[in-house]
Amino acid sequence: MSKYPVVAGILSYGMSGRIFHAPFLETNTRFKFKAVVERSKKNAQQRYPHIVSYDTVDELLDDNEIELVVVNTPNQTHFDYAKRALLKGKHVLIEKPCAATSQEVKELFDLGRKQGKYVMVFQNRRWDSDFKLVKRVIESGALGDIIEFHVRFDRYRKEKSPKTFKEINQSAAGLTYDLGPHLLDQIISLFGKPKDSIKLTSIHRENSEVDDFFTFVLNYEHGLTVFAHASLLVAQPLPAYIIHGTKGSFQKSRADVQEEQLDKGMWPTDEKFGLEAVGQEGLLTIINRSNQKQIFYKEALKGNYKGLFNAVYEQIRKDKPYPITEEQILWQMELLEETPWNK
């Protein structure tokens, strides 16, 4: 273990706590996994018998040893719990979306500066195996100047979610606030803030109160157009990434396996963790100087969300800037808040 591990607590041991947070805090020697809030079932202690299982958020926030609080509760509670944690003198790692509005985001970052604590947003999809390959291909220059960038997150979930807070028409609810932050963060990390945008949302599932389809069209300088799309009624997913440039094209399926592996109980320290299955390689098509088509199959880089937790540690202990910046989160929120063009 690190000489000065960051002592951390998680506000919920639902799906995100069980899969995306606890395994990394447990296996990363830079952290001491201290506590979880579990209001009824004490499932976390079955796997992590050394931790404290608090009954309430207040009990965890009153634990003076805890330095970092993971805010992974329902979307509409993120602002309140993060604010309470900051006022208790804790650093916060907040699940996406960081808050419901840009004004709330600004208030949290301002409060963090006032308290001398860091506000960090959990945008783990930057460490997906498929996206890491997309980023490498773009940065290699093999495609020339990028003209079109398409990113999508397709699912087929006709029935409403058993997580009722996701299906109630309230702030930060619906597919746009669920999957939109993932796609918009990836886009912003690659290309920055767009010069203008269009947002489309709609509802297709029977009796749904919240949107289950969205598309963003983002325009950038130098002729780049970006399309971000997600739907809950896609029976046959298309490639998650399609890129066209002046020298060629690239496409890649959404094949990151980390969530699936973690859900099955694999530890992040397993040598097979984050390795995509054979057959999911990206397809790179280049037109050479002789105007001939050349095709290459690109193996994805290893996915590893540990990179995000290392960045959290280095922000807290070494004051090294966290890669998901306040400015980027505000750009994301402005896009999410935009009035849909079709409304």
Side-chain angles (χ1 to χ4, degrees):
M1 181 172 284
S2 169
K3 186 176 181 180
Y4 301 106
V6 173
V7 182
I10 304 175
L11 292 191
S12 171
Y13 195 67
M15 188 274 279
S16 72
R18 179 176 62 86
I19 293 177
F20 293 120
H21 299 290
F24 294 94
L25 295 176
E26 175 70 9
T27 59
N28 192 327
T29 59
R30 292 175 156 191
F31 293 88
K32 176 184 175 182
F33 181 22
K34 170 74 184 289
V36 169
V37 176
E38 296 182 283
R39 292 174 176 80
S40 54
K41 297 179 181 179
K42 299 295 184 178
N43 294 325
Q45 278 193 321
Q46 294 179 18
R47 194 173 197 201
Y48 308 100
H50 61 86
I51 68 168
V52 179
S53 180
Y54 287 117
D55 296 326
T56 68
V57 169
D58 286 335
E59 287 178 307
L60 186 144
L61 296 183
D62 285 337
D63 187 326
N64 292 328
E65 187 185 13
I66 292 176
E67 304 169 81
L68 171 69
V69 172
V70 177
V71 181
N72 62 325
T73 48
N75 292 355
Q76 69 274 13
T77 68
H78 288 179
F79 172 73
D80 179 55
Y81 284 149
K83 184 176 180 179
R84 287 165 62 182
L86 288 167
L87 290 172
K88 286 287 187 175
K90 317 293 188 184
H91 305 288
V92 290
L93 177 62
I94 313 171
E95 274 276 8
K96 56 78 192 168
C98 175
T101 67
S102 298
Q103 184 57 45
E104 289 181 348
V105 170
K106 292 175 184 177
E107 186 174 337
L108 288 178
F109 278 102
D110 287 344
L111 180 59
R113 280 187 285 271
K114 181 179 178 181
Q115 294 292 107
K117 300 300 175 183
Y118 295 115
V119 175
M120 297 160 284
V121 183
F122 187 74
Q123 296 285 177
N124 60 313
R125 298 293 177 177
R126 292 196 192 189
W127 285 267
D128 278 357
S129 57
D130 38 51
F131 180 69
K132 288 172 69 176
L133 177 59
V134 165
K135 188 172 185 289
R136 171 174 284 189
V137 169
I138 290 175
E139 291 177 348
S140 74
L143 300 176
D145 296 329
I146 307 301
I147 300 169
E148 294 178 50
F149 182 90
H150 300 254
V151 57
R152 57 190 303 133
F153 211 129
D154 293 329
R155 292 171 171 171
Y156 189 83
R157 296 182 180 175
K158 189 175 182 180
E159 304 301 325
K160 294 170 70 173
S161 172
K163 297 178 181 179
T164 55
F165 67 86
K166 286 191 172 186
E167 298 289 355
I168 299 173
N169 186 12
Q170 59 185 335
S171 61
L175 191 65
T176 305
Y177 278 84
D178 186 23
L179 297 182
H182 284 317
L183 304 188
L184 293 174
D185 179 69
Q186 288 184 338
I187 292 165
I188 288 168
S189 74
L190 290 172
F191 306 116
K193 183 181 182 180
K195 65 178 183 179
D196 53 63
S197 61
I198 295 173
K199 171 185 170 184
L200 304 170
T201 65
S202 55
I203 299 174
H204 300 282
R205 296 172 304 155
E206 186 176 359
N207 299 320
S208 178
E209 297 179 25
V210 297
D211 62 272
D212 48 41
F213 170 97
F214 71 77
T215 291
F216 286 89
V217 182
L218 312 176
N219 288 313
Y220 285 83
E221 302 292 343
H222 312 299
L224 168 64
T225 305
V226 176
F227 302 86
H229 170 86
S231 172
L232 291 181
L233 292 175
V234 177
Q236 181 58 51
L238 296 171
Y241 305 93
I242 298 176
I243 313 168
H244 301 298
T246 54
K247 295 181 180 179
S249 299
F250 181 74
Q251 67 179 48
K252 177 73 177 72
S253 62
R254 187 173 299 284
D256 186 89
V257 296
Q258 293 178 86
E259 181 176 345
E260 179 183 359
Q261 290 175 331
L262 291 163
D263 194 25
K264 292 178 178 179
M266 181 182 288
W267 292 107
T269 50
D270 191 297
E271 62 180 12
K272 295 181 180 179
F273 182 74
L275 294 176
E276 287 189 8
V278 176
Q280 299 290 342
E281 294 80 7
L283 178 64
L284 176 63
T285 305
I286 299 296
I287 306 300
N288 64 21
R289 293 181 179 180
S290 301
N291 206 34
Q292 295 176 322
K293 184 183 292 186
Q294 295 180 297
I295 295 177
F296 306 90
Y297 293 93
K298 295 292 184 179
E299 183 177 342
L301 304 174
K302 185 175 183 179
N304 195 351
Y305 299 148
K306 183 179 178 180
L308 183 148
F309 288 92
N310 284 336
V312 169
Y313 173 87
E314 291 180 354
Q315 170 79 91
I316 294 172
R317 286 290 184 259
K318 301 180 181 180
D319 201 30
K320 182 177 179 180
Y322 186 63
I324 298 100
T325 67
E326 175 181 357
E327 185 177 50
Q328 291 171 339
I329 294 299
L330 284 169
W331 292 342
Q332 177 194 127
M333 291 305 305
E334 289 168 5
L335 292 168
L336 291 172
E337 288 178 308
E338 186 175 317
T339 301
W341 178 75
N342 55 329
K343 301 298 182 183

